[in-house]
Amino acid sequence: MPESERIEISREQIRNMEKIDRLKLINSTPGYKSVNLIGTTDPSGNFNLAIFSSVIHLGSNPPLLGMISRPITVERHSFDNIIETGVYTINHVHTEIIDSAHQTSAKYSRETSEFKATGLTPVLMHGFKAPFVEESSIRIAMSLVERQEIRSNGTHLLVGEIQFISAPKNIVREDGSFDLSAAGTVAMSGVDTYLACRELSRKGYARIRKG
Amino acid sequence: MPESERIEISREQIRNMEKIDRLKLINSTPGYKSVNLIGTTDPSGNFNLAIFSSVIHLGSNPPLLGMISRPITVERHSFDNIIETGVYTINHVHTEIIDSAHQTSAKYSRETSEFKATGLTPVLMHGFKAPFVEESSIRIAMSLVERQEIRSNGTHLLVGEIQFISAPKNIVREDGSFDLSAAGTVAMSGVDTYLACRELSRKGYARIRKG
């Protein structure tokens, strides 16, 4: 990397930024984020679909994934549905559904199904109550097992356990893991940028090098 | 995406997998992960550097990033140092330092500096106590503000507040956010795959589309 001139951004400069500029900057600081469609159902059976860029791995035994939900000061359909029903689905966004996936972030009313509004297709699988996205390659059924409030900003960490996974056979590697770039799964940076990823290298377990 | 034959992986199948296979599979389920080098110092001033694929955005006002630390049942140098000193640095991994970054995950003793062992260069900035990685493009100074135990698996979520950010001027976009792909920042999938990302599209704020 050729060394370029550097800038420093202080805590005070961050505090004094305009809200949208700060959102865009701070969201780009951790590096790339996963981007998933979260499918839920309300107690009356209405389907909801929303895009989240905060799904993370928490542990593999038991298989736990986390997700950050914004403060509950405004209406949060997905969050309410997860708390009320205890189940949700995680559906990977791939290159061919970016537009529809992004469109789910528009502020539809509680009665509007984002599936209908964006053209994505809900599909029910194995009697699981929450809807999956038929267009998604990798789909995961989740049960809520824990909820933690992050006191510093009123955000919630939802902890879910994987109930089952559905994936195209041709993206499963020999060791059983998923080849996300073959699946067309995209990454997000900041609040608005979708990216395709290309494998550079696979590493073995790192050992201490002699001499 | 051409529809391929699908496989289903049940909760029981996941539970019965071999540990390493399960690790690889479950780590690949959330989608892409950020990959960062975490710089810390122990109370005696010894530097430590470790690779983490769990840094996430928690909120922009105040500017908070989270990080998952594995259960404390084994020696965790970074975790101990963060708790004891209250500070740490987040340094993006880019294409040219993947090998050294990955090598920090070898099990060095508490007395060994991963900087020396891997050839990365520690740099102190603005009197901040924890070391940055000179080879990293985007570097962030963090103060620990909160720690939450995830009861389901004994993992900890460390919540930190950004103190300042240092970045190459040429990767800052007009709106002030970072162009991660210009910075060469890489993503991770699973436990072993490093990927380069290429921007596909930037989206505006989604609004409800009229019929």
Side-chain angles (χ1 to χ4, degrees):
Chain A
M1 176 125 325
E3 192 51 31
S4 123
E5 205 185 325
R6 299 185 69 85
I7 57 154
E8 314 282 320
I9 307 165
S10 70
R11 199 172 158 181
E12 287 62 41
Q13 284 173 300
I14 294 170
R15 189 179 300 142
N16 294 328
M17 284 173 104
E18 268 196 73
K19 186 183 167 187
I20 300 295
D21 289 345
R22 185 170 49 227
L23 260 178
K24 288 183 174 178
L25 171 65
I26 303 304
N27 265 281
S28 68
T29 57
Y32 296 106
K33 305 187 288 182
S34 63
V35 50
N36 287 286
L37 288 162
I38 303 299
T40 58
T41 177
D42 71 17
S44 318
N46 299 310
F47 293 161
N48 182 278
L49 191 68
I51 192 163
F52 278 75
S53 63
S54 62
V55 173
I56 53 166
H57 176 263
L58 292 178
S60 60
N61 191 22
L64 300 179
L65 302 179
M67 189 170 104
I68 304 294
S69 182
R70 306 290 309 151
I72 330 185
T73 46
V74 293
E75 218 181 10
R76 299 285 165 191
H77 307 165
S78 304
F79 185 83
D80 291 349
N81 289 347
I82 293 171
I83 300 294
E84 284 173 35
T85 65
V87 291
Y88 55 106
T89 69
I90 295 175
N91 306 270
H92 282 213
V93 174
H94 61 71
T95 49
E96 294 175 33
I97 59 169
I98 293 175
D99 289 346
S100 312
H102 184 73
Q103 185 61 28
T104 63
S105 60
K107 290 204 171 90
Y108 296 105
S109 69
R110 187 176 285 271
E111 291 70 37
T112 306
S113 164
E114 290 81 3
F115 282 105
K116 275 203 190 118
T118 63
L120 293 167
T121 315
V123 56
L124 293 172
M125 295 172 74
H126 307 303
F128 199 71
K129 262 186 159 178
F132 296 84
V133 176
E134 189 166 33
E135 290 81 1
S136 277
S137 49
I138 298 169
R139 312 171 194 154
I140 310 165
M142 302 293 300
S143 282
L144 181 70
V145 293
E146 186 177 339
R147 167 184 164 184
Q148 293 272 357
E149 184 179 349
I150 297 162
R151 293 182 303 272
S152 307
N153 69 353
T155 298
H156 285 77
L157 170 67
L158 302 181
V159 180
E161 184 172 346
I162 296 178
Q163 300 304 305
F164 62 85
I165 305 170
S166 170
K169 205 168 183 174
N170 61 5
I171 63 122
V172 181
R173 299 196 283 205
E174 272 188 24
D175 64 7
S177 67
F178 294 148
D179 184 337
L180 299 188
S181 94
T185 297
V186 293
M188 182 162 239
S189 89
V191 290
D192 55 13
T193 306
Y194 293 84
L195 307 99
C197 299
R198 175 177 55 84
E199 194 171 310
L200 292 172
S201 59
R202 288 192 78 184
K203 297 285 180 194
Y205 185 78
R207 289 174 199 286
I208 294 175
R209 289 169 183 157
K210 300 289 178 192
Chain B
M1 178 127 320
E3 193 51 31
S4 121
E5 204 184 327
R6 298 185 70 85
I7 57 152
E8 315 282 318
I9 306 165
S10 70
R11 201 171 157 182
E12 287 63 41
Q13 284 173 299
I14 294 170
R15 189 179 301 143
N16 294 329
M17 285 174 102
E18 270 198 74
K19 187 183 167 185
I20 300 295
D21 288 345
R22 185 172 46 228
L23 260 177
K24 289 184 174 177
L25 171 65
I26 303 304
N27 265 280
S28 68
T29 57
Y32 297 106
K33 305 187 287 182
S34 63
V35 51
N36 288 286
L37 287 162
I38 303 299
T40 57
T41 177
D42 72 15
S44 319
N46 299 309
F47 293 159
N48 182 277
L49 191 67
I51 194 164
F52 278 77
S53 63
S54 62
V55 173
I56 54 165
H57 176 263
L58 291 178
S60 59
N61 191 21
L64 300 178
L65 302 179
M67 190 170 105
I68 303 295
S69 183
R70 306 289 310 151
I72 330 185
T73 46
V74 294
E75 218 182 8
R76 299 285 165 191
H77 308 165
S78 305
F79 185 83
D80 291 349
N81 289 348
I82 293 172
I83 299 294
E84 284 172 36
T85 64
V87 292
Y88 55 107
T89 68
I90 296 176
N91 305 270
H92 282 212
V93 175
H94 60 73
T95 49
E96 294 175 33
I97 60 170
I98 293 175
D99 288 346
S100 312
H102 185 74
Q103 186 60 28
T104 64
S105 61
K107 290 204 172 90
Y108 296 105
S109 70
R110 187 176 285 272
E111 292 69 37
T112 307
S113 165
E114 291 82 3
F115 282 105
K116 275 202 190 115
T118 63
L120 293 167
T121 316
V123 57
L124 292 172
M125 296 171 75
H126 307 303
F128 198 72
K129 263 184 158 179
F132 296 84
V133 176
E134 188 166 33
E135 290 80 3
S136 277
S137 51
I138 297 168
R139 313 171 194 153
I140 309 165
M142 302 294 300
S143 282
L144 182 68
V145 293
E146 185 178 340
R147 167 183 165 187
Q148 294 272 356
E149 186 180 347
I150 297 163
R151 294 183 303 272
S152 308
N153 68 353
T155 298
H156 284 77
L157 170 68
L158 301 182
V159 180
E161 183 171 346
I162 296 178
Q163 299 303 306
F164 61 86
I165 305 170
S166 169
K169 205 168 184 175
N170 61 5
I171 63 120
V172 181
R173 298 195 284 204
E174 273 188 26
D175 63 8
S177 67
F178 294 148
D179 183 338
L180 299 187
S181 95
T185 297
V186 294
M188 182 161 240
S189 89
V191 290
D192 55 12
T193 306
Y194 293 83
L195 308 100
C197 300
R198 175 178 54 82
E199 194 171 311
L200 292 172
S201 59
R202 288 192 78 186
K203 297 285 180 195
Y205 184 79
R207 290 173 199 285
I208 294 176
R209 289 172 184 156
K210 300 291 177 191

